[in-house]
Amino acid sequence: DLDAVSHIVLDQVDGIRGSPQIVERTGLPRYFVDLSLSGLQEAGYIHQLGLAELMATGDGLVERGRHASALHLFRTALQFDRRHLRLHERLARAYLATGRLAKSAAHHRFCAMTHVAAGRRREALAIYQTVLEMLPTDFRTLERCLQLLSQEGRITNTADAHVYDSARKLLNFYLD
């Protein structure tokens, strides 16, 4: 009932691999892989994972230390909801675990902006401080931390004091 290509593709479907990974593993042309996946889905052999399933499967991969595979699923999940805070938190942690600091920082910044928009300045500040730990010379993040601290009106912990110290050091460095 299934053609040979569809059998090969079906053997590769595991809820983690997408078309690019199946193409790489089988050597089949992308067109045939995509056509087979579409046919398998229409025939009821497979179904497309939803947002919750992608995130849960990605979480399981993270628990097993397979961060790169989890990243693939988390990025796929973005197609369902680009503004999903918990998804961006997962992406930030997975990118950090793979050593991709700039990507991690970008997703951390998204989370911080979401918290600011919701009026949760203290949560946003903590996230921005995490970004500063990763990228200590990131002026944009440092500026945002200083803005949030000025809105708070006080230094409440050592992380807050560290922001002011970092700003002072960077300013002195660039003035010298």
Side-chain angles (χ1 to χ4, degrees), residues 2-24:
L2 291 178
D3 61 69
V5 172
S6 293
H7 274 291
I8 293 169
V9 170
L10 183 58
D11 286 341
Q12 297 298 314
V13 173
D14 63 358
I16 298 170
R17 294 185 197 110
S19 292
Q21 292 82 15
I22 293 172
V23 167
E24 185 179 315

Side-chain angles (χ1 to χ4, degrees), residues 117-130:
R120 297 185 299 267
R121 286 194 309 250
R122 187 45 61 183
E123 289 90 342
L125 184 57
I127 294 169
Y128 280 129
Q129 289 167 341
T130 299

Side-chain angles (χ1 to χ4, degrees), residues 1-3 5-7 9-10 13 31-47:
D1 138 81
L2 291 178
D3 61 69
V5 172
S6 293
H7 274 291
V9 170
L10 183 58
V13 173
Y31 172 79
F32 290 121
V33 170
D34 289 344
L35 189 64
S36 293
L37 287 171
S38 177
L40 290 167
Q41 186 174 356
E42 286 176 15
Y45 286 97
I46 62 174
H47 72 280

Side-chain angles (χ1 to χ4, degrees), residues 3 55-56 70 74 81 90 100 103 108 115 135 140 158 167:
D3 61 69
M55 288 174 59
F74 294 149
D81 186 356
R90 286 170 169 87
R100 297 172 71 184
K103 289 275 193 182
H108 273 101
H115 284 299
L135 305 171
R140 184 176 52 175
T158 57

Side-chain angles (χ1 to χ4, degrees), residues 108-109 111-113 115-116 120-134 141 144-146 148-149 152 156-157 159-160 163:
H108 273 101
R109 282 190 210 97
C111 295
M113 290 186 295
H115 284 299
V116 167
R120 297 185 299 267
R121 286 194 309 250
R122 187 45 61 183
E123 289 90 342
L125 184 57
I127 294 169
Y128 280 129
Q129 289 167 341
T130 299
V131 173
L132 277 179
E133 289 173 17
M134 289 187 286
T141 300
R144 195 67 183 122
C145 282
L146 291 170
L148 290 170
L149 281 171
E152 287 287 305
T156 60
N157 57 43
D160 292 352
V163 168

